[in-house]
């Protein structure tokens, strides 16, 4: 079972999805493009083949359009 070290960052991102983009910027130095909203979406990334992959969290950022 995952511990607090695993679950705490996921909870932070679920509560404030922009955190994922800020961490990505800090880790890579790549600027974050302007966006109107960031939200957590489905973590299901299954494929029609027997292998199932799931993310702990998925953040989507959208521009105003």
């Amino acid at each position: 079972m995952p511990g607090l070290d695993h679950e705490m960052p996921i909870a932070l991102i679920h509560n404030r999805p922009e955190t994922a983009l800020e961490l990505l910027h800090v880790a890579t130095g790549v600027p974050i493009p302007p966006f109107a909203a960031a939200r957590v979406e489905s973590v299901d990334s299954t494929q029609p083949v027997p292998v199932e992959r799931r993310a702990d969290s998925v953040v989507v950022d959208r521009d105003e359009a």
Side-chain angles (χ1 to χ4, degrees), residues 6-58:
H6 176 80
E7 295 297 325
M8 184 59 72
I10 296 167
L12 289 172
I13 290 171
H14 275 242
N15 289 326
R16 187 175 175 275
E18 296 86 356
T19 303
L21 301 169
E22 293 164 356
L23 290 172
L24 181 63
H25 172 67
V26 169
T28 65
V30 175
I32 300 170
F35 63 93
R39 66 181 188 196
V40 176
E41 293 197 358
S42 173
V43 298
D44 186 5
S45 61
T46 58
Q47 299 174 347
V49 295
V51 177
E52 183 175 312
R53 296 184 180 101
R54 293 184 180 262
D56 290 322
S57 184
V58 175

